[in-house]
Amino acid sequence: MNEWLTDFGMFLAQVLSLVVIGGLVVAVVVKARGEVGERTRLRIEELNTNREYRRRRLTMAASEPGERKRLLKGFRKDDKSRGRRGRKGKAEPRQTVWVLDFHGDLRASATGRLGEEVSALLDAADEGDEVVIRLESAGGLVHAYGLAAAELDRLREAGLRTTVCVDKVAASGGYLMACVADQLRAAPFAVLGSIGVVAQLPNVHRLLKRHDIDVELLTAGRYKRTLTVFGENTEEGREKFREDLEGIHELFKRYVAERRRHLDIEAVATGEVWYGSEALEKGLVDALGTSEAYLAERMKDARVIGLKLEPKRKLGERLGMAVSRGVERAVERGLEVLDASRWQKR
């Protein structure tokens, strides 16, 4: 038995060696040719098809064993009937709902990808189509989220109906983006609002002065630098900084008010946040509900397609990510086993 296990182990080692060598050969060939073509790939997901596939699987699982053959025949009949209608041109035209995702960080670093997705969508969408943006962001840099909101504005300018769904949070810059939509929906406990501007920076001038360290700050222009980290701040500089914040706040308020004309902007532009049901009362959103519920409803009379641009990863990166995921899953599984062992009877 031990000899058989040794032979089997040697066989596995040889197979693994061949796989690794083959991967290295492929990597060398790819690198020698260089990266040619697009650096990203467009991933398309037919959400209607996915949902129908899951429905059929669950129907089969819940049925009696003797009924499964009949169900399979019915599914095949439906598919053939749908195919014949399509070939004969009798299928009724359906509206298309395009789905985009945006997960924002402090710098709104996904804005570049969002802009490319919007450009691709504008090339393919027809008049009357709808675009659903599943948005999640707690805000960040003013200029970064201003650009992200401008990318979504392109959809409205092209005449496409837009719906933003907020399941978790759209605050500050996130709400700046969300208010662009023709319809804004939020989950009951989603966080919305924070129509305000904040800035803070430390000042270590007194610490430096205590240690006899001088900092020279030279500027050309009276307000080139108002507040500093190392120098001594003046009341005039503070006042100018406050004026700048108020100016940005006014731009923020004006942008939101132009896109949600029924909103009492002065009442909500206090920097406060509200949960979904409260946001509905304030007029910050148009309806309550999750993005999944809304898309499921749209699937009844429309074709729902998700699209996403993904970076093309090199072979080494893909192998590294696969190994990393494998190690992560193994560690998680080990922790689960250890945690479960605490509850086992001894």
Side-chain angles (χ1 to χ4, degrees):
M1 183 65 177
N2 290 336
E3 183 178 349
W4 180 86
L5 289 175
T6 302
D7 293 340
F8 185 69
M10 291 295 296
F11 171 74
L12 288 179
Q14 291 171 358
V15 171
L16 181 61
S17 299
L18 289 174
V19 171
V20 172
I21 293 172
L24 291 174
V25 170
V26 172
V28 170
V29 171
V30 171
K31 187 173 183 179
R33 291 182 178 180
E35 292 186 0
V36 180
E38 297 181 355
R39 299 177 62 182
T40 58
R41 62 180 180 182
L42 183 63
R43 184 164 65 87
I44 302 295
E45 188 175 9
E46 295 269 1
L47 300 184
N48 301 68
T49 304
N50 292 350
R51 189 177 184 210
E52 176 62 15
Y53 173 72
R54 290 192 292 265
R55 185 191 69 81
R56 290 183 178 185
R57 288 196 64 188
L58 290 173
T59 302
M60 292 280 291
S63 64
E64 296 294 332
E67 290 290 312
R68 293 175 185 176
K69 189 173 182 180
R70 182 185 62 80
L71 287 172
L72 281 173
K73 288 183 179 180
F75 295 154
R76 295 193 188 102
K77 184 177 180 181
D78 291 341
D79 292 338
K80 288 180 180 179
S81 176
R82 193 178 298 112
R84 283 195 298 268
R85 288 198 302 270
R87 286 193 297 271
K88 294 179 181 179
K90 293 182 179 180
E92 295 182 3
R94 304 176 71 190
Q95 183 190 26
T96 301
V97 175
W98 306 90
V99 182
L100 303 177
D101 288 291
F102 184 88
H103 296 274
D105 55 18
L106 184 65
R107 297 175 297 157
S109 55
T111 301
R113 176 182 58 79
L114 176 66
E116 292 185 62
E117 291 172 350
V118 169
S119 295
L121 196 154
L122 292 177
D123 290 336
D126 294 325
E127 185 178 356
D129 285 355
E130 179 184 2
V131 182
V132 174
I133 303 99
R134 294 183 291 201
L135 190 150
E136 181 181 334
S137 174
L141 299 176
V142 175
H143 62 281
Y145 276 92
L147 176 59
E151 294 291 1
L152 294 185
D153 263 331
R154 294 169 59 199
L155 297 170
R156 292 187 64 174
E157 292 167 1
L160 294 175
R161 182 169 177 267
T162 56
T163 300
V164 165
C165 292
V166 180
D167 289 327
K168 294 181 180 178
V169 58
S172 194
Y175 189 77
L176 184 75
M177 294 179 65
C179 73
V180 171
D182 295 301
Q183 180 185 197
L184 178 49
R185 304 175 62 89
F189 283 91
V191 177
L192 298 107
S194 188
I195 303 175
V197 185
V198 63
Q200 65 179 0
L201 71 162
N203 183 268
V204 296
H205 172 69
R206 287 183 294 178
L207 176 64
L208 297 176
K209 187 176 180 180
R210 190 180 308 141
H211 291 82
D212 297 324
I213 300 173
D214 293 326
V215 175
E216 296 291 338
L217 178 64
L218 306 177
T219 64
R222 183 178 179 183
Y223 295 120
K224 179 62 179 176
R225 184 70 69 232
T226 53
L227 296 183
T228 73
V229 175
F230 301 106
E232 184 176 5
N233 291 319
T234 65
E235 193 57 40
E236 181 186 15
R238 293 188 186 94
E239 185 59 32
K240 176 58 179 172
F241 198 84
R242 292 190 192 98
E243 289 179 10
D244 292 341
L245 290 183
E246 288 294 336
I248 297 171
H249 191 207
E250 287 300 319
L251 286 174
F252 193 170
K253 288 160 59 177
R254 191 182 315 150
Y255 189 90
V256 174
E258 288 174 354
R259 285 151 183 79
R260 296 191 66 82
R261 298 185 181 278
H262 62 281
L263 190 63
D264 184 353
I265 190 63
E266 295 300 332
V268 298
T270 59
E272 297 173 84
V273 296
W274 291 273
Y275 291 101
S277 54
E278 299 171 326
L280 180 63
E281 296 174 1
K282 297 286 184 181
L284 290 165
V285 301
D286 301 304
L288 295 181
T290 66
S291 61
E292 181 65 25
Y294 181 69
L295 292 177
E297 184 65 25
R298 296 297 287 118
M299 286 179 201
K300 295 178 181 178
D301 56 6
R303 186 184 181 197
V304 182
I305 301 175
L307 65 96
K308 183 178 182 180
L309 277 173
E310 296 177 333
K312 285 186 175 179
R313 301 188 183 277
K314 297 179 182 178
L315 179 62
E317 292 176 333
R318 293 199 298 270
L319 289 174
M321 290 179 65
V323 172
S324 176
R325 284 195 294 267
V327 172
E328 185 178 349
R329 283 196 294 267
V331 172
E332 289 177 351
R333 180 56 182 160
L335 291 174
E336 289 175 0
V337 171
L338 288 173
D339 187 61
S341 66
R342 296 165 50 202
W343 308 103
Q344 293 177 355
K345 294 181 178 179
R346 299 183 182 277

